[in-house]
Structure formats: C-alpha cells, structure tokens
Amino acid sequence: MSDALLAITLVWGFIFLYAIMASMDFGAGFWAMTYIKKEETNATKIANSYLSPTWEVTNTFVVGLVIAIYSLFPGAVFPIGVALIVPASLILVLLCIRSAFLVFSHSVDKYEKALTYISGLTGVIIPGLLISVLPITHLGFVEGVRGNEELNLSKLFTSPNEYAFVGFGIMSTLFLSSLLLSDYSKQADEMKAYKIYRRDAMITGPLMLVMALLVMLTLRNEANWIYQGMMKNSALLFVSLIFFIISGIALYLPYFSKQEVKGMPRLAVIAIIIQYLIGSYVYGIAHLPYIIYPNVTILSGFTDPTSFRAVFATYIVGFAILVPGFYYFWSIFMKDQRRKFKRRQMSN
C-alpha cells in the first residue's frame, strides 16, 4: 500500500467514525423534539439524557479530521475549502447555536425546552449539510485552474444526486439514532420508550434503503465513473445489504426480560455499523484516486514522504491512546446515564 493510500485511509477513517457518532447524536436531538409532548413515554427524557456530553466527544473527531487533511494533503486544502465553503459555513453556525443551548440548558432550567427544539431542528439539517459535501467531490462542481477554483452553485442546487445524498444522510441519521435509543431504552427498562424507538427504526430503516437506491440511480446518471467503480465491488454491496437485513430481523427476534417486548437492538446496531462500514469502503475505493474530481488526486495533494511518516506515526500513537479511551468513556457514560435516569424516575 502506497503512502498516499495509507494517508487517505486514515482520513476516511476519521470521516466514518464521525459520521456514525454524529448521526446518533444529532438524531437523538430530533427524536427528543418529536416526543416532547408525550411525557408518559419518557422518550424525550431518554433522548435528552443521551445528548450530553456525547456532543463534546463527537466534535473532537472534526478537529482530528481537519488536522489530518491539512497535514497529509496540503496540496488539496484550497480546493477542499472551496467544496466546503457553503455547507461548512452553515454547519459552523448551526453547531455554535446548538452548543450554546447545550451549555446553557445545564445551568438555566428555562433553556431546556428551547434546547430540545434547537437540537431537533439542527439534528436533521446538519447531517444533510455534512453529507452534501460528497456529491461536490465526485460530480465535478469545483471548477477552475489550480489555486483559482470556484464552486458552481447553479449545478450544485440543480443536481438530483445532491438531493439524494441529503435525503440519505437525514434518513441514516434518524435510523441509526432510533436504533441506539431503542437499545438505550431497553437498558433503562423503559419499555414504552423502547417500543416507540423500535417502531421508528422499523419505519426509517426501509426509507433509508430507498434513499440509498436513489443515490445509486442518480450516481449512474450524473457520475457514472464512480457508479461503475462501485459496481466492481457489487459483491460487497450485496454483503452490506445482508447486514441491513440482519439488523431488521434483529428487531423481531425473541422476547427479552420478563415483558413481552420483541427485539435485540444491540445486535441491530452492530449489524448496521458493519453495513455502513462496508458501504463506505465500496464508495471510498470507487472514489480513488480522486479527492475532488477531476482535478485533485491523492497524489497531487499529498505531502512529502518524510512529513507523512512523522505525521502518520503520531496518529497511530494517538489512535492507540484515544480509541480505548473513547470506548471506556462510552461504556462508563452509558451506564452512568442509565443510573441517573433511573434515579430521576424514582424521585419523580
């Protein structure tokens, strides 16, 4: 494997981890807003208890991603900035608003309801904006010579593939988060909330699959080069579909606990993460050698080999420290949040 390929694999790893964690985080905000008036189900309380401090951990991946791109692909920084200028500007504004309400809601009770609505609205807008960057990179919307690139907004806003990706990002967010919250509700013994989130997963899952098919259809018409590349790994796409089916079946598997409630949401979450991992791998391989089609490749934007080795070694050490730390935090946080939620329910 070449140095440039190792570097882009590292960057793609950051993107994948952030996509999964952010989808669960943003989606929880949307579900909290959706069920804010159904207090008897505790669905909103379940979602709100998940929201913080996971947002702090999630956003650290954004920092790592930016540093990785700047240090490993300095020659691609300007065209990437052009591709990101519209969605990233909007995302930063929305993240600032969302973060402010997350902070204030813990010190001033009157902000809690406002937080729920802000998190809910941004929870569907931000994922759509985030994934909208991908069509920009493979449809050739960044035009111009080196150092003078511009984003063709008229093509961007009239592209069916762009809107298919946005729809896919939103439905993926809702699907992943509903699966996680169903598992979270199960652990908290909140059966009413569990039934609601399990139902939501059963609705949003097929819708997500429909949007994925629309993505493929629009890719074939607008970016046939990447569609053909993905079809070369059609066997992996079929395996990805199998894991989606496994996730769906898991929601119908045997009863758990003493109550007659079907489903194994933990298995469904694991299967879906594997599905997304396979799907993102197929897309990423098909995207090569381009970072931004058709002008910027991984070789043209790559740093010098000496700098790469130093940076890559640093990232390996960082991953060796951070990944176990994040896993430990995640397990402790989930258990602690469930205990806090149960204590609040007992006190009420």
Side-chain angles (χ1 to χ4, degrees):
M1 183 180 289
S2 67
D3 288 348
L5 192 55
L6 278 173
I8 200 64
T9 301
L10 179 65
V11 171
W12 195 250
F14 269 113
I15 294 173
F16 177 76
L17 289 173
Y18 178 73
I20 295 298
M21 295 184 67
S23 293
M24 295 176 175
D25 185 32
F26 290 131
F30 173 81
W31 295 122
M33 179 188 70
T34 301
Y35 297 115
I36 190 171
K37 294 182 179 180
K38 295 184 178 181
E39 297 181 0
E40 70 279 1
T41 65
N42 289 320
T44 291
K45 292 180 180 179
I46 285 283
N48 279 336
S49 65
Y50 172 80
L51 278 174
S52 181
T54 55
W55 66 280
E56 297 180 16
V57 177
T58 301
N59 288 336
T60 59
F61 284 94
V62 177
V63 178
L65 176 60
V66 172
I67 294 173
I69 293 175
Y70 187 82
S71 57
L72 297 175
F73 296 96
V77 169
F78 184 79
I80 290 175
V82 173
L84 290 172
I85 189 166
V86 173
S89 298
L90 295 172
I91 289 167
L92 286 174
V93 171
L94 293 173
L95 281 176
C96 287
I97 295 172
R98 186 174 190 263
S99 298
F101 275 90
L102 280 168
V103 172
F104 292 139
S105 66
H106 290 287
S107 56
V108 183
D109 291 338
K110 68 178 182 180
Y111 283 104
E112 186 172 355
K113 192 171 184 178
L115 163 67
T116 301
Y117 285 105
I118 292 296
S119 295
L121 294 174
T122 57
V124 291
I125 297 173
I126 293 178
L129 291 172
L130 284 169
I131 203 169
S132 69
V133 177
L134 293 181
I136 296 174
T137 65
H138 65 236
L139 291 175
F141 292 160
V142 178
E143 302 173 348
V145 297
R146 188 71 175 258
N148 293 291
E149 291 94 344
E150 293 182 353
L151 179 61
N152 192 322
L153 293 176
S154 62
K155 288 184 178 180
L156 174 65
F157 291 124
T158 56
S159 168
N161 186 243
E162 172 74 15
Y163 294 109
F165 264 93
V166 169
F168 175 72
I170 293 173
M171 295 315 304
S172 294
T173 296
L174 299 182
F175 181 43
L176 281 168
S177 58
S178 59
L179 279 180
L180 181 71
L181 289 173
S182 66
D183 181 47
Y184 191 40
S185 302
K186 168 189 172 183
Q187 297 300 318
D189 290 327
E190 285 293 329
M191 295 302 107
K192 289 183 179 179
Y194 169 74
K195 290 178 180 179
I196 287 175
Y197 288 125
R198 173 176 174 266
R199 180 203 62 197
D200 291 334
M202 293 167 67
I203 294 172
T204 55
L207 292 176
M208 182 273 292
L209 185 61
V210 170
M211 294 310 303
L213 293 174
L214 286 176
V215 165
M216 295 300 293
L217 289 174
T218 53
L219 273 178
R220 184 174 62 180
N221 295 330
E222 297 185 63
N224 192 257
W225 69 275
I226 199 169
Y227 174 82
Q228 293 299 330
M230 294 180 72
M231 287 298 99
K232 291 178 182 178
N233 290 296
S234 56
L236 286 177
L237 289 176
F238 181 73
V239 173
S240 174
L241 178 61
I242 289 175
F243 275 100
F244 174 81
I245 295 172
I246 291 173
S247 176
I249 293 174
L251 295 176
Y252 290 92
L253 285 179
Y255 303 128
F256 66 81
S257 76
K258 296 180 180 179
Q259 303 187 44
E260 292 189 353
V261 181
K262 288 185 177 180
M264 298 178 65
R266 182 68 54 85
L267 175 60
V269 170
I270 294 172
I272 282 298
I273 291 176
I274 295 173
Q275 183 219 353
Y276 275 84
L277 179 62
I278 296 172
S280 66
Y281 171 80
V282 173
Y283 175 84
I285 289 293
H287 206 290
L288 293 176
Y290 300 104
I291 296 178
I292 297 182
Y293 179 83
N295 298 322
V296 184
T297 67
I298 59 174
L299 292 177
S300 66
F302 191 55
T303 187
D304 64 274
T306 303
S307 298
F308 162 73
R309 294 187 183 95
V311 172
F312 189 75
T314 303
Y315 269 104
I316 292 300
V317 174
F319 267 111
I321 296 172
L322 290 176
V323 171
F326 281 134
Y327 176 77
Y328 179 72
F329 161 80
W330 190 264
S331 61
I332 293 297
F333 165 71
M334 291 291 279
K335 292 178 182 178
D336 183 61
Q337 289 296 95
R338 286 194 291 266
R339 285 197 295 267
K340 287 181 180 179
F341 184 81
K342 289 180 179 179
R343 286 198 298 268
R344 286 197 297 267
Q345 293 302 107
M346 291 176 66
S347 63
N348 291 334

